[in-house]
Amino acid sequence: MRIRELRRKEVINITDGGRLGFVGDVDLRMPDGQTAALIVYGPARFFGLFGRGEEYYVPWDSIQRIGDDIILIDKPAQHRDPALERRRRKKF
């Protein structure tokens, strides 16, 4: 499966039935090239002018099933702080 195919799929948590959103990015382990997690971007605030809401970090082992148009997960996703991620990227 290609990453662009994953980006069209909506992530749904089966523990509470919550819709997290659509896959925005994929976290890969570089030495071995395996997928570590999916990153789901939060909803846009006021037509995208004020940024986005919180992001979700969905570990690959919490994915139960990948269907034609949805991805089912069984664990609550971890919230990710975008400010922390920006600081981490600036160090490299």
Side-chain angles (χ1 to χ4, degrees), residues 17-57:
R19 298 169 67 179
L20 300 179
F22 290 90
V23 175
D25 204 357
V26 178
D27 188 16
L28 299 173
R29 290 188 209 126
M30 287 311 294
D32 53 358
Q34 291 187 351
T35 305
L38 299 177
I39 299 169
V40 179
Y41 295 135
R45 293 189 213 153
F46 194 68
F47 302 109
L49 296 175
F50 296 109
R52 294 193 162 271
E54 52 194 317
E55 298 175 348
Y56 297 100
Y57 185 82

